[in-house]
């Protein structure tokens, strides 16, 4: 076949003949006609060269986020050192598959073990699994893990947990159908008293995110106390960057800790793929989904790594499997491992502090603009909600025309916040861009209002 030409009729006949058929209809004759689709709306085949040109044209339409992007809501633009991509792109990592055979997967198992160790150090927990798909699936898995541990069937979720995480949890729950209760928020946060009122005798866990979806810091020690007083576990949903400056969840009584590792080593990538981290106390490690890599020694006494715990039904667990979470060769977890190795504790702290300082500076300048205000008064780190004096869709569209992705409209998640949007600031938003956004907000809102 000629890569410069589309597949010809002769090529198709030769391919069918190679597998022993005279026609395509003959090849699929064993499939009942009722199950076949008469035709697919697929354009004619083209050559490899034409495919490359088409893909290059599509790729050229992409616009890098850059310092004028203030999008957040769970997906963050942060600086990723070149060494991260250089290492994860090596063929021994990039093409690796699930390490079913530990004796030939020592490299994969070693970095997975190091990843687990770093997650434990960040969260202050005893045991970490070898990563999950993303933060939302990690939270759902934690909820079901809590039900297995406690034998209870009720899940209480703080009102300011990421709404899409809650949607994933509800999707998980459509089979077993546990009761999901949402504890009401007040001024963007969950009051411990409100949590205590929502936690009934059948509550397996209280799920709280901090910083929460609205960017605010929750009173985690008090919420942990409320959960434990009701006989429930506390599931903490956290941002890994925030743990460079905030108390680790293990110190305030969290039982299970989950989150999304996209912000530490992985690009936004249109929303995926991401990596979900999950850690717990040693008393509960046998209920962790996925797998755990352990360090040991081989027959010669040399350091070696093995799959210490495998909970999938595809392995030895069968009907005792704690989860059906599937294939994961942990490439995104490797990116997290490389990033954290390069940054170290001090580097991660600097990233978090710079983001927080710039976020608070920007929030103060926006709040000083005519008609603008911060939605909430509670403490925040690097993300905050802004109330707009003009319709949010029109404002964000006007700002986009000026090159700014100014934030995420909150009306799509909370109808009562249709006049607000969420702004995220990272170390990539330099002071010049912050001032430029303030100016653009003032001018665009004035133009919309007719001033």
């Amino acid at each position: 076949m000629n890569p410069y030409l589309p597949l010809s009729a002769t090529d198709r006949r030769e391919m069918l003949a190679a597998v022993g058929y005279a026609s395509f209809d003959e090849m699929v004759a064993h499939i009942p006609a009722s199950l076949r689709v008469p035709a697919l709306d697929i354009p004619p085949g083209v050559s490899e060269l034409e495919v490359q040109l088409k893909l290059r044209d599509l790729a050229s339409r992409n616009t890098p986020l850059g310092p004028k992007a203030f999008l957040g809501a769970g997906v963050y633009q942060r600086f990723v050192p070149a060494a991260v991509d250089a290492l994860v792109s090596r063929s021994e990592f990039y093409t690796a598959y699930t390490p079913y055979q530990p004796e030939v997967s020592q490299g994969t198992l070693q970095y997975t073990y190091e990843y687990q160790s770093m997650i434990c150090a960040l969260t202050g927990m005893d045991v970490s699994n070898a990563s999950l798909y993303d933060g939302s699936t990690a939270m759902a898995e934690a909820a079901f893990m809590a039900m297995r541990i406690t034998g209870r069937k009720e899940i209480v979720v703080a009102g300011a947990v990421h709404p899409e995480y809650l949607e994933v949890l509800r999707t998980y729950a459509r089979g077993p159908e546990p009761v999901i209760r949402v504890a009401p928020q007040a001024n963007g946060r969950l009051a411990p008293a409100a949590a205590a009122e929502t936690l009934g005798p059948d509550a397996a866990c209280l799920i709280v995110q901090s910083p929460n979806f609205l960017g605010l810091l929750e009173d985690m020690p008090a919420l942990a106390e409320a959960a434990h007083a009701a006989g429930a576990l506390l599931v903490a949903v956290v941002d890994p960057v925030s743990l460079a400056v905030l108390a680790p969840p293990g110190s305030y009584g969290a039982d299970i800790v989950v989150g999304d590792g996209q912000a530490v080593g992985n690009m936004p990538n249109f929303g995926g793929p991401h990596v979900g981290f999950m850690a717990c106390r040693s008393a509960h490690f046998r209920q962790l989904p996925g797998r755990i890599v352990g360090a040991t020694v081989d027959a010669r006494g040399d350091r070696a790594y093995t799959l210490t715990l495998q909970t999938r039904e595809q392995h030895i667990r069968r009907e005792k499997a704690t989860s059906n979470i599937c294939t994961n060769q942990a490439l995104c977890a490797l990116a997290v491992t490389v990033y954290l190795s390069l940054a170290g504790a001090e580097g991660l702290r600097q990233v978090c502090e710079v983001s927080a300082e710039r976020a608070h500076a920007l929030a103060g300048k926006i709040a000083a603009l005519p008609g603008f205000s911060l939605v909430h008064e509670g403490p925040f780190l690097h993300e905050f909600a802004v109330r707009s004096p003009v319709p949010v869709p029109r404002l964000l569209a006007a700002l986009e025309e000026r090159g700014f992705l100014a934030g995420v409209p909150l009306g799509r998640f909370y109808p009562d916040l249709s006049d607000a949007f969420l702004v995220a600031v990272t170390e990539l938003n330099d002071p010049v861009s912050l001032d430029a956004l303030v100016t653009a907000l003032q001018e665009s809102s004035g133009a919309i209002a007719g001033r």
Side-chain angles (χ1 to χ4, degrees), residues 221-374:
L223 291 170
E225 185 177 342
H228 295 154
L233 304 183
L234 176 70
V235 176
V237 184
V238 297
D239 173 3
V241 176
S242 74
L243 297 181
V245 298
L246 300 179
S251 70
Y252 54 68
D255 299 286
I256 307 172
V257 182
V258 299
D260 198 306
Q262 176 271 320
V264 282
N266 290 278
M267 299 292 188
N269 294 330
F270 294 95
H274 289 182
V275 51
F277 60 87
M278 187 173 191
C280 70
R281 300 194 178 279
S282 56
H284 308 316
F285 84 95
R286 285 197 170 275
Q287 294 298 329
L288 273 173
R291 56 171 67 96
I292 298 175
V293 175
T296 183
V297 293
D298 61 17
R300 296 175 297 184
D302 296 329
R303 185 70 171 264
Y305 301 90
T306 185
L307 288 173
T308 300
L309 186 69
Q310 304 175 68
T311 61
R312 299 195 307 163
E313 79 289 346
Q314 295 167 321
H315 285 110
I316 61 174
R317 296 289 289 178
R318 302 293 182 180
E319 72 278 358
K320 296 181 180 179
T322 57
S323 168
N324 67 349
I325 204 80
C326 201
T327 298
N328 171 23
Q329 74 87 13
L331 188 68
C332 294
L334 172 60
V336 171
T337 308
V338 177
Y339 177 94
L340 292 176
S341 299
L342 292 169
E346 187 58 37
L348 194 64
R349 173 183 288 274
Q350 185 177 8
V351 167
C352 190
E353 289 178 346
V354 168
S355 301
E357 288 171 3
R358 292 179 180 178
H360 283 76
L362 178 62
K365 292 178 180 180
I366 293 177
L369 294 176
F372 286 90
S373 63
L374 299 187

Side-chain angles (χ1 to χ4, degrees), residues 161-208:
V161 163
H162 197 307
E164 292 175 349
Y165 284 27
L166 181 56
E167 287 182 23
V168 171
L169 174 60
R170 285 178 170 149
T171 300
Y172 264 65
R174 289 183 65 183
E177 297 185 349
V179 176
I180 298 176
R181 301 190 187 280
V182 178
Q185 53 165 308
N187 196 27
R189 305 171 72 203
L190 175 60
E197 290 178 7
T198 312
L199 289 161
D202 201 30
C205 64
L206 171 64
I207 302 176
V208 186

Side-chain angles (χ1 to χ4, degrees), residues 55 65 104 117 173 195 206 235-236 239 302 362 383 426:
L55 293 176
L65 289 177
V104 294
S117 301
L206 171 64
V235 176
D239 173 3
D302 296 329
L362 178 62
E383 201 163 11
T426 74

Side-chain angles (χ1 to χ4, degrees), residues 3-344:
Y4 295 96
L5 298 173
L7 202 64
S8 67
T10 301
D11 292 329
R12 288 193 290 270
R13 285 195 298 271
E14 290 178 353
M15 292 172 67
L16 286 166
V19 292
Y21 295 100
S23 67
F24 178 78
D25 288 337
E26 181 185 343
M27 185 174 70
V28 298
H30 63 287
I31 301 176
S34 61
L35 299 180
R36 299 185 215 166
V37 178
L40 296 175
D41 186 19
I42 298 176
V46 296
S47 69
E48 179 182 347
L49 174 61
E50 290 172 294
V51 170
Q52 287 190 5
L53 292 174
K54 176 64 175 177
L55 293 176
R56 287 173 185 168
D57 175 63
L58 292 173
S60 69
R61 303 179 195 178
N62 292 335
T63 302
L65 289 177
K68 289 187 174 182
F70 296 85
L71 302 177
V75 181
Y76 302 98
Q77 177 194 209
R78 292 196 176 277
F79 175 69
V80 178
V84 174
D85 281 344
L87 289 172
V88 302
S89 298
R90 290 177 62 93
S91 60
E92 62 265 39
F93 295 130
Y94 197 71
T95 62
Y97 188 58
T98 298
Y100 287 119
Q101 296 174 282
E103 65 273 14
V104 294
S105 303
Q106 287 297 293
T108 299
L109 293 175
Q110 179 179 342
Y111 81 68
T112 307
Y113 178 82
E114 293 170 355
Y115 160 85
Q116 294 172 178
S117 301
M118 292 178 181
I119 294 300
C120 288
L122 271 176
T123 60
M125 304 303 284
D126 302 321
V127 188
S128 164
N129 70 6
S131 84
L132 299 170
Y133 297 142
D134 54 23
S136 64
T137 53
M139 190 188 89
E141 293 285 351
F144 279 74
M145 178 178 168
M147 288 195 296
R148 292 192 300 272
I149 293 169
T150 63
R152 298 178 173 186
K153 298 296 182 182
E154 203 168 278
I155 301 167
V156 179
V157 184
V161 163
H162 197 307
E164 292 175 349
Y165 284 27
L166 181 56
E167 287 182 23
V168 171
L169 174 60
R170 285 178 170 149
T171 300
Y172 264 65
R174 289 183 65 183
E177 297 185 349
V179 176
I180 298 176
R181 301 190 187 280
V182 178
Q185 53 165 308
N187 196 27
R189 305 171 72 203
L190 175 60
E197 290 178 7
T198 312
L199 289 161
D202 201 30
C205 64
L206 171 64
I207 302 176
V208 186
Q209 183 176 10
S210 184
N212 63 29
F213 179 72
L214 299 169
L216 301 174
L217 302 179
E218 299 276 9
D219 187 351
M220 298 302 279
L223 291 170
E225 185 177 342
H228 295 154
L233 304 183
L234 176 70
V235 176
V237 184
V238 297
D239 173 3
V241 176
S242 74
L243 297 181
V245 298
L246 300 179
S251 70
Y252 54 68
D255 299 286
I256 307 172
V257 182
V258 299
D260 198 306
Q262 176 271 320
V264 282
N266 290 278
M267 299 292 188
N269 294 330
F270 294 95
H274 289 182
V275 51
F277 60 87
M278 187 173 191
C280 70
R281 300 194 178 279
S282 56
H284 308 316
F285 84 95
R286 285 197 170 275
Q287 294 298 329
L288 273 173
R291 56 171 67 96
I292 298 175
V293 175
T296 183
V297 293
D298 61 17
R300 296 175 297 184
D302 296 329
R303 185 70 171 264
Y305 301 90
T306 185
L307 288 173
T308 300
L309 186 69
Q310 304 175 68
T311 61
R312 299 195 307 163
E313 79 289 346
Q314 295 167 321
H315 285 110
I316 61 174
R317 296 289 289 178
R318 302 293 182 180
E319 72 278 358
K320 296 181 180 179
T322 57
S323 168
N324 67 349
I325 204 80
C326 201
T327 298
N328 171 23
Q329 74 87 13
L331 188 68
C332 294
L334 172 60
V336 171
T337 308
V338 177
Y339 177 94
L340 292 176
S341 299
L342 292 169

